[in-house]
Amino acid sequence: FLNLLKVIRGSGDNRLVTPYGLAITGNIIAVSDWDSHQVKKYSLNGNFISKIGSHGNNNGQFNFPMGLGFNNDKLLYVIDGSNYRVQVFQQDNTFAFSFGSRGSGPGQFQYPVRIAFDHNNNVLVTDLYANCIHLFSHGGQFIQTINCH
């Protein structure tokens, strides 16, 4: 991991500007880079592999990526904070699908921040401003909201 720390202070395309979220699967580390509006992938020894995204609101673009994680199928789920959605990517960085929108209804976010997976591969998303957790299927279908105030 010490080599990865050098990347943060490095220069060029592989440099991390404002690292926010971190996820590991196998030999890959994915890092959401808040200010560059990208997700960057590195090997465990810190070598740059690839990047996903740019600033925007289209599929594959981010507006402040936050928490992220790999599910059991090694799909990468990324909280797209200021676009109020979760974007999902295949192992080759291809956009798969997204879910969520801005609002206070079922399956909507006020400010999504972190992500986790349960033993059934369901997706849990914390919502900072709604003070709750949203539960979705691995395919993004809304199941329920937990502990909303």
Side-chain angles (χ1 to χ4, degrees):
F1 290 111
L2 293 177
N3 288 332
L4 186 59
L5 294 176
K6 293 176 188 175
V7 170
I8 295 171
R9 289 176 283 222
S11 61
D13 203 33
N14 64 338
R15 180 178 177 265
L16 293 167
V17 180
T18 313
Y20 188 93
L22 179 92
I24 299 174
T25 186
N27 293 323
I28 296 176
I29 300 171
V31 182
S32 60
D33 199 7
W34 206 66
D35 280 333
S36 74
H37 307 281
Q38 295 176 333
V39 171
K40 297 178 181 179
K41 290 183 178 179
Y42 302 90
S43 66
L44 289 179
N45 64 7
N47 292 323
F48 177 74
I49 297 171
S50 62
K51 67 179 180 176
I52 304 170
S54 61
H55 187 232
N57 59 11
N58 293 319
N59 293 338
Q61 293 184 315
F62 301 107
N63 193 6
F64 300 111
M66 302 183 90
L68 70 168
F70 291 98
N71 75 354
N72 291 340
D73 299 322
K74 297 188 179 180
L75 294 174
L76 177 62
Y77 289 67
V78 182
I79 300 288
D80 190 3
S82 292
N83 282 328
Y84 309 94
R85 64 184 175 180
V86 176
Q87 294 197 65
V88 183
F89 298 88
Q90 303 285 344
Q91 292 180 43
D92 66 357
N93 298 344
T94 304
F95 174 81
F97 61 92
S98 66
F99 58 93
S101 62
R102 186 177 192 175
S104 57
Q108 294 185 313
F109 302 118
Q110 292 181 35
Y111 200 64
V113 180
R114 303 275 190 228
I115 195 163
F117 305 92
D118 70 11
H119 65 281
N120 292 319
N121 222 19
N122 291 318
V123 183
L124 295 101
V125 177
T126 61
D127 193 322
L128 181 66
Y129 293 167
N131 297 315
C132 64
I133 299 168
H134 302 282
L135 179 65
F136 298 87
S137 72
H138 68 277
Q141 291 79 32
F142 175 75
I143 298 173
Q144 70 178 13
T145 301
I146 304 166
N147 199 36
C148 248
H149 299 291

